[in-house]
Amino acid sequence: MPILTTPAILLRSHPYSETSRVLRFYTRDIGLVGAMARGVRKGASRGRGGTASFGEGVAVITFRDSRDLQSLHEFTPTNAHLGLARDFRRLAGASVAAELVLRHAQQEPHPELFEALSGGLGRLEATGPEGVVGEVLSLCWSIVQLLGFGPELEVCTACGVVLEDGDMGRFDLEEGAIRGPGCPAAEGARRIGPVARTHLTAFLHGEVPPGLRGRRAHLSLLDDFTTFHMLGGRRLESFRFLEPESFPDRDAPAHT
Ligand SMILES: [Zn+2]
């Protein structure tokens, strides 16, 4: 049976029996893969980072194409990303990213997605408290984009006119696209001005725009967009922990 060695990020782990677990990895070489890990004692790996979510390392998998669940030979963490697990806001952001990948990624190589996840989780872990929301937005929107769900921001979805730099648009949630100032939008459709549009474009490319503002509105758009287009209408609990009210810096400029 072929043995595959690949860089991998552990997205989820759940017990299967007293001594085995099912681990779901996003790997660089074969994309999303589920693997059975045998001989893992209950609780034994806690704190070691071995089967803690978001640990990144090298997985050795006995791989057979016809199986849904592969067999994990070994997982050696090179970066346990423990800084994500220790901060509920970072953990919440990483959980949203993981959920999008678990729901929509395939068992097929998508190295850009692997890099976006790996790099984004690293930056989310490393940033200061004021940078968390920006990194969450960048990580999650870049995953949305790489999974093929990215919204259209350049052209009015109703009439096809290219929006001018200064145009105020409205975000058509169902279409996953913008309506320009000349076209009526659904009642309650959120306004999205030139700055917010530029910032959202940066997020889709995995960047955090300088001078980010309106974090709360950006989180709300990400929440609504993923709920509607990627999560079958069910909101992720994790967003509650990301709301600006739940941390002190709000959208105020940094005082330091
Ligand atoms: Zn239009």
Side-chain angles (χ1 to χ4, degrees), residues 21-77:
R21 300 182 76 81
V22 172
L23 307 180
R24 301 213 172 266
F25 291 99
Y26 197 75
T27 68
R28 189 193 65 193
D29 296 355
I30 52 169
L32 189 64
V33 63
M36 178 77 80
R38 293 177 212 282
V40 184
R41 287 205 182 276
K42 209 174 169 184
S45 62
R46 272 181 189 277
R48 279 195 340 192
T51 59
S53 284
F54 311 117
E56 184 167 353
V58 176
V60 182
I61 296 164
T62 311
F63 184 79
R64 207 161 41 181
D65 217 5
S66 56
R67 287 190 304 204
D68 280 342
L69 205 54
Q70 309 300 333
S71 184
L72 183 72
H73 182 63
E74 186 173 57
F75 179 57
T76 310

Side-chain angles (χ1 to χ4, degrees), residues 155-163 178-184:
V155 172
C156 172
T157 186
C159 69
V161 158
V162 177
L163 269 73
I178 298 274
R179 282 174 181 252
C183 289

Side-chain angles (χ1 to χ4, degrees), residues 7-234:
I9 299 166
L10 182 60
L11 297 182
R12 191 159 294 167
S13 159
H14 43 90
Y16 181 81
S17 70
E18 279 292 308
T19 57
S20 59
R21 300 182 76 81
V22 172
L23 307 180
R24 301 213 172 266
F25 291 99
Y26 197 75
T27 68
R28 189 193 65 193
D29 296 355
I30 52 169
L32 189 64
V33 63
M36 178 77 80
R38 293 177 212 282
V40 184
R41 287 205 182 276
K42 209 174 169 184
S45 62
R46 272 181 189 277
R48 279 195 340 192
T51 59
S53 284
F54 311 117
E56 184 167 353
V58 176
V60 182
I61 296 164
T62 311
F63 184 79
R64 207 161 41 181
D65 217 5
S66 56
R67 287 190 304 204
D68 280 342
L69 205 54
Q70 309 300 333
S71 184
L72 183 72
H73 182 63
E74 186 173 57
F75 179 57
T76 310
T78 51
N79 184 346
H81 286 310
L82 290 175
L84 293 174
R86 288 180 184 140
D87 177 317
F88 72 95
R89 290 168 61 216
R90 292 171 215 261
L91 185 62
S95 300
V96 172
E99 191 65 32
L100 298 176
V101 171
L102 286 163
R103 297 271 191 115
H104 291 284
Q106 307 285 318
Q107 187 176 298
E108 65 186 18
H110 191 339
E112 296 92 349
L113 181 56
F114 181 83
E115 290 307 322
L117 191 58
S118 168
L121 289 173
R123 288 189 296 275
L124 177 57
E125 184 178 18
T127 191
E130 73 292 341
V132 169
V133 170
E135 292 297 344
V136 169
L137 290 164
S138 154
L139 170 63
C140 294
W141 277 120
S142 67
I143 289 171
V144 169
Q145 176 83 344
L146 288 165
L147 287 170
F149 290 86
E152 169 60 57
L153 300 175
E154 307 285 323
V155 172
C156 172
T157 186
C159 69
V161 158
V162 177
L163 269 73
E164 300 283 330
D165 281 353
D167 279 351
M168 175 61 68
R170 295 206 178 242
F171 198 93
D172 185 323
L173 185 63
E174 291 193 15
E175 292 271 336
I178 298 274
R179 282 174 181 252
C183 289
E187 202 174 328
R190 38 165 74 69
R191 287 149 57 89
I192 178 159
V195 174
R197 222 161 61 230
T198 306
H199 288 179
L200 185 49
T201 302
F203 291 140
L204 289 165
H205 291 99
E207 297 154 13
V208 178
L212 173 62
R213 60 188 204 215
R215 291 173 171 82
R216 189 178 177 198
H218 272 296
L219 282 172
S220 163
L221 178 60
L222 176 66
D223 185 3
D224 286 352
F225 185 91
T226 53
T227 298
F228 188 88
H229 290 282
M230 300 177 76
L231 302 168
R234 284 195 62 184

